[in-house]
């Protein structure tokens, strides 16, 4: 009958498809992680284990979704870049976003115990996600540079803020103290007041985490008469490097190939 006619029911369905032949970036972000970090007593401003857990989940996402070519993560967020010609879920935005977000969230819960041996997961974490298309390599690189600049600015601010708070200032005093300060002044404050050389803080805190595949020669197969395909193997690497500079992309041309 009319009421259950599949075409009639389907006519209400709106599926937004991502623009063809463009890089798709799915950015996920922890929901209310300010609270989640407090409840789980994450170190401030950076918790090595919590960031490590995010990285493990991102590696699992990269392994699961073969069209992902690059991941960049900082704080409670991760960006996943899908190759330009990806046909994953016929490029339907809601399908891609929801599949990646739910996979990442499940991984976060599954791998929690591997990272936090003695810390109990007190409530289920959740993530939101969005999809954006970038039409050229240059604009995609600008997007990733924007995230890494954000990482740097936030990390520098947070390092100063929490150093001031740990030294006895109230949160609002620390906030006022830092208002309008430039990057150089923040580095000077860290060095003079707290003996911290910003440039020696862990790279993961300052640069965020980049995850991608590298092809390398398999040394055990080289001597044998293996075919050239067998001689190279693909490895997933997690690096904390400068992705703003062009030299990174020149050193890894296969990522955006
Ligand atoms: P949202 O994303 O609007 O649901 O709200 P939040 O609270 O997740 O805010 P967001 O994403 O802008 O900022 C990330 C929060 O996550 C930030 O307030 C502090 C927390 N967070 C992320 N990484 C760490 C960490 O390593 N240590 C600590 N203590 N907190 C962290
Ligand atoms: Mg958010
Ligand atoms: Mg968040
Ligand atoms: Mg965030
Ligand atoms: Mg189904």
């Amino acid at each position: 009958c009319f009421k259950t006619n599949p075409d009639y029911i389907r006519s209400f369905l709106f599926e937004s498809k991502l623009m063809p032949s463009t890089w798709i970036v799915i950015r996920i972000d922890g929901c209310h992680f300010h609270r989640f970090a407090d409840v789980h007593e994450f170190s401030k401003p950076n918790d090595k284990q919590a960031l490590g857990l995010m990285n493990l989940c991102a590696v699992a996402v990269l392994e699961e979704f073969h069209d992902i070519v690059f991941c960049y993560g900082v704080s409670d967020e991760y960006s996943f870049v899908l190759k330009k010609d990806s046909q994953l879920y016929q490029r339907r935005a809601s399908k891609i976003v929801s599949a990646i977000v739910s996979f990442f969230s499940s991984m976060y819960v599954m791998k929690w115990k591997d990272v936090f041996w003695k810390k109990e997961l007190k409530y289920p974490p959740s993530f939101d996600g969005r999809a954006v298309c970038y039409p050229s390599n240059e604009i995609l690189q600008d997007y990733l540079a924007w995230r890494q600049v954000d990482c740097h600015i936030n990390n520098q601010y947070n390092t100063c803020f929490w150093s001031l708070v740990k030294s006895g200032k109230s949160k609002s005093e620390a906030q006022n103290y830092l208002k309008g300060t430039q990057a150089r002044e923040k580095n000077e404050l860290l060095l003079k007041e707290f003996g911290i050389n910003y440039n020696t803080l862990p790279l993961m805190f300052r640069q965020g985490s980049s995850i991608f595949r590298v092809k390398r020669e398999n040394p055990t197969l080289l001597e044998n008469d293996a075919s050239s395909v067998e001689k190279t193997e693909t490895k997933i690497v997690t690096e904390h490097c400068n992705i703003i500079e062009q030299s990174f992309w020149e050193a890894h041309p296969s990522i955006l190939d």
Side-chain angles (χ1 to χ4, degrees), residues 112-164:
W112 176 272
K113 265 273 163 278
D114 298 351
V115 173
F116 294 108
W117 294 27
K118 295 193 175 143
K119 209 179 264 189
E120 186 200 352
L121 180 60
K122 300 239 169 72
Y123 68 90
S126 57
F127 293 82
D128 62 38
R130 62 189 68 185
V132 182
C133 294
Y134 296 99
S136 69
N137 290 20
E138 196 189 355
I139 299 173
L140 174 68
Q141 285 166 12
D142 287 344
Y143 165 80
L144 293 167
W146 169 56
R147 296 324 302 144
Q148 190 163 48
V149 166
D150 211 52
C151 166
H152 168 68
I153 288 170
N154 288 333
N155 183 54
Q156 203 179 33
Y157 182 91
N158 291 337
T159 307
C160 291
F161 179 84
W162 287 108
S163 297
L164 289 166

Side-chain angles (χ1 to χ4, degrees), residues 25-67:
V25 173
I26 309 297
R27 183 166 79 249
I28 67 157
D29 184 281
C31 299
H32 314 299
F33 258 49
H34 187 77
R35 173 167 175 254
F36 187 83
D38 277 348
V39 168
H40 294 90
E41 297 172 322
F42 285 1
S43 318
K44 291 168 190 309
N46 293 291
D47 189 295
K48 263 205 166 98
Q49 288 170 296
L51 294 170
L53 176 56
M54 291 290 291
N55 292 349
L56 287 180
C57 297
V59 167
V61 170
L62 183 68
E63 284 170 336
E64 178 75 12
F65 297 90
H66 297 275
D67 285 356

Side-chain angles (χ1 to χ4, degrees), residues 15-18 24 26 88-99 130-132:
E15 298 242 62
S16 118
K17 289 210 178 185
L18 295 164
I24 299 172
I26 309 297
L88 184 62
Y89 300 118
Q90 293 84 52
R91 297 177 81 90
R92 280 176 288 179
S94 60
K95 284 266 195 184
I96 300 174
V97 171
S98 58
R130 62 189 68 185
V132 182

Side-chain angles (χ1 to χ4, degrees), residues 107-223:
M107 271 299 159
Y108 196 96
V109 174
M110 267 191 82
K111 292 190 180 289
W112 176 272
K113 265 273 163 278
D114 298 351
V115 173
F116 294 108
W117 294 27
K118 295 193 175 143
K119 209 179 264 189
E120 186 200 352
L121 180 60
K122 300 239 169 72
Y123 68 90
S126 57
F127 293 82
D128 62 38
R130 62 189 68 185
V132 182
C133 294
Y134 296 99
S136 69
N137 290 20
E138 196 189 355
I139 299 173
L140 174 68
Q141 285 166 12
D142 287 344
Y143 165 80
L144 293 167
W146 169 56
R147 296 324 302 144
Q148 190 163 48
V149 166
D150 211 52
C151 166
H152 168 68
I153 288 170
N154 288 333
N155 183 54
Q156 203 179 33
Y157 182 91
N158 291 337
T159 307
C160 291
F161 179 84
W162 287 108
S163 297
L164 289 166
V165 170
K166 282 171 190 169
S167 77
K169 283 203 163 38
S170 74
K171 285 183 183 173
S172 62
E173 279 170 344
Q175 204 176 351
N176 284 329
Y177 195 96
L178 293 171
K179 206 167 270 170
T181 52
Q182 300 295 305
R184 223 191 53 211
E185 298 167 77
K186 289 199 188 72
N187 279 355
E188 277 171 16
L189 167 78
L190 286 174
L191 196 60
K192 289 195 180 129
E193 299 287 324
F194 307 108
I196 298 171
N197 180 351
Y198 183 79
N199 295 318
T200 63
L201 293 177
L203 270 174
M204 178 163 67
F205 301 170
R206 290 184 287 130
Q207 311 258 49
S209 300
S210 299
I211 305 177
F212 50 96
R213 297 182 189 86
V214 288
K215 286 189 195 81
R216 59 163 203 191
E217 311 244 293
N218 183 337
T220 59
L221 285 174
L222 273 182
E223 302 102 62

Side-chain angles (χ1 to χ4, degrees), residues 29-30 75-77:
D29 184 281
S75 180
D76 67 339
E77 71 167 62

